[in-house]
Amino acid sequence: MLHSWLDHWDEQRARRGEEGKKATDFVLDAERAFPGAKKAASIEEFCVLADSVLADPAFFDEPSGSGQGFEREEGWLRFPSGISTDIEANNVVWAKITESGSLDRAMVVFHHWNASARNRQIANFLSLLGVTVVEIAMPYHFERSRPGSAHADYMLSPNLGRTIQSVRQGVCDGRKLIAWLKSQGYREISVLGMSLGSWVAGLVAAHDPAVTKASLFLTGGSLADMVWTGRATRSIRDSLEPEIELTDLRRAWGPLNLENYAHSLARSDLDLHVVLAKRDKVVLPELSEKLMQRLKDAGARLNILELNCGHYSLAIPPYILFAGLSLKRFLS
């Protein structure tokens, strides 16, 4: 009975999340995804470019000459993104800081796709544990939203190039913020990502040696498979399916697949914490399990909590309490 109620609750939340989402055009947009690249005339040309950046360890580095420009005022931090887009508001990064009163530890939090508010409860909870929390706005969210948009349709979309650019921008913004935190004297830096935010946080942890702990909630490996099979991304699949095969989408979005960075995530000075939902219809359990196996095979230091709830019902008691206690033990 409980599980049927949970499944129904998750489905109702998913339906509400569909409001305002519309199918949009499939676009390659390679020159947006890959700096210096020329326009790709075919899916195969796009995939060749994706293969090349997958082998480039500097792809997720902060662009050179992006400058600092940090401004802090009354618990808020603002700085220019190192990646410039055609949406002016998106080019300024905002972050909410909840102080702990200590310079020992700081955590950068990456929210879920289409988040409507930052998570004050998590920030307050972690600050009481002595962790300063910095909740960053991912591209096209919160203060960075595209004018007139009902949801963050530019962060994740059937525009293959824009999606890569958006995730890369989120990673570079996160790394720039982490460098600033280190310059402020914080000694231990961790990241927390939720759903789509877990892909960004995972990529940050894989590429930034300053990160010593990474907690990934509701995560998977292949972003292509998540979009193709997930309950929250049906409108995107509707646009993709007539134009591209899943096998090609996996290759096109290969630079965003956490499985491809398993060995980086398994480095000896990084601890990983993962919270998964067994009844997840957004990030299917088989996608999470595949990533977990890849990490185990690479020798990652991995702490996994699996809860018998859905993607959205993780946010309600008792599941969120179990997740919070697990996170507390991990950070301790």
Side-chain angles (χ1 to χ4, degrees):
M1 178 69 74
L2 171 62
H3 295 148
S4 296
W5 181 86
L6 284 175
D7 292 342
H8 177 73
W9 194 86
D10 270 77
E11 176 60 23
Q12 291 295 104
R13 282 292 305 272
R15 288 179 182 176
R16 288 204 300 270
E18 286 180 331
E19 296 175 4
K21 292 181 181 178
K22 299 178 181 178
T24 55
D25 292 340
F26 170 80
V27 183
L28 292 177
D29 221 352
E31 61 274 28
R32 192 186 298 274
F34 312 116
K38 296 180 180 179
K39 185 175 182 179
S42 67
I43 292 171
E44 175 60 24
E45 288 183 12
F46 189 100
C47 289
V48 168
L49 291 169
D51 292 341
S52 66
V53 302
L54 183 57
D56 179 7
F59 182 65
F60 288 105
D61 287 352
E62 182 187 340
S64 59
S66 63
Q68 296 301 307
F70 284 87
E71 299 177 14
R72 182 174 181 176
E73 184 177 356
E74 296 182 352
W76 289 92
L77 187 68
R78 183 176 65 181
F79 60 94
S81 174
I83 295 177
S84 180
T85 68
D86 51 356
I87 303 300
E88 185 176 351
N90 183 53
N91 298 332
V92 178
V93 186
W94 290 77
K96 180 74 172 68
I97 303 177
T98 304
E99 292 280 4
S100 68
S102 169
L103 286 176
D104 283 338
R105 296 181 291 172
M107 169 175 274
V108 180
V109 178
F110 299 86
H111 54 78
H112 61 83
W113 186 41
N114 295 320
S116 58
R118 290 175 172 86
N119 200 313
R120 181 172 53 85
Q121 292 84 357
I122 287 180
N124 290 341
F125 171 69
L126 293 176
S127 68
L128 292 174
L129 300 179
V131 180
T132 292
V133 177
V134 187
E135 300 174 271
I136 191 171
M138 294 205 300
Y140 305 105
H141 287 81
F142 303 145
E143 303 84 4
R144 308 176 68 177
S145 296
R146 180 171 66 87
S149 62
H151 68 288
D153 54 343
Y154 274 20
M155 177 80 189
L156 186 63
S157 75
N159 183 319
L160 303 190
R162 194 190 300 276
T163 297
I164 290 178
Q165 182 194 55
S166 298
V167 175
R168 177 172 173 259
Q169 185 179 30
V171 173
C172 293
D173 293 341
R175 295 194 64 186
K176 185 171 181 177
L177 174 55
I178 288 168
W180 180 84
L181 288 168
K182 294 294 287 187
S183 76
Q184 298 301 298
Y186 287 97
R187 289 178 281 278
E188 181 180 298
I189 307 292
S190 55
V191 294
L192 167 63
M194 307 169 190
S195 194
L196 181 60
S198 74
W199 266 267
V200 179
L203 289 166
V204 169
H207 290 86
D208 199 323
V211 177
T212 57
K213 293 179 183 287
S215 181
L216 310 179
F217 281 35
L218 306 169
T219 194
S222 170
L223 190 68
D225 282 271
M226 186 278 281
V227 167
W228 200 267
T229 62
R231 178 64 181 83
T233 48
R234 289 179 177 175
S235 61
I236 298 178
R237 177 174 174 170
D238 287 344
S239 299
L240 291 170
E241 197 165 16
E243 306 289 345
I244 188 171
E245 299 288 338
L246 177 56
T247 51
D248 289 328
L249 184 63
R250 287 171 179 151
R251 188 177 166 200
W253 281 351
L256 312 181
N257 186 342
L258 292 182
E259 294 173 25
N260 291 327
Y261 307 99
H263 287 284
S264 298
L265 290 167
R267 67 176 191 269
S268 60
D269 59 349
L270 177 66
D271 292 325
L272 295 176
H273 172 249
V274 180
V275 177
L276 303 174
K278 295 180 181 179
R279 314 180 75 82
D280 201 332
K281 299 296 191 298
V282 175
V283 183
L284 299 188
E286 50 263 39
L287 302 183
S288 302
E289 290 165 8
K290 187 177 179 183
L291 174 61
M292 295 306 102
Q293 190 58 55
R294 188 69 63 89
L295 291 170
K296 290 175 184 177
D297 291 344
R301 297 165 58 170
L302 194 56
N303 183 315
I304 303 172
L305 174 66
E306 291 185 272
L307 298 170
N308 198 9
C309 61
H311 193 88
Y312 303 103
S313 49
L314 175 64
I316 63 176
Y319 306 106
I320 191 60
L321 302 177
F322 295 148
L325 290 173
S326 178
L327 178 60
K328 177 183 177 181
R329 287 193 294 270
F330 173 68
L331 293 176
S332 299

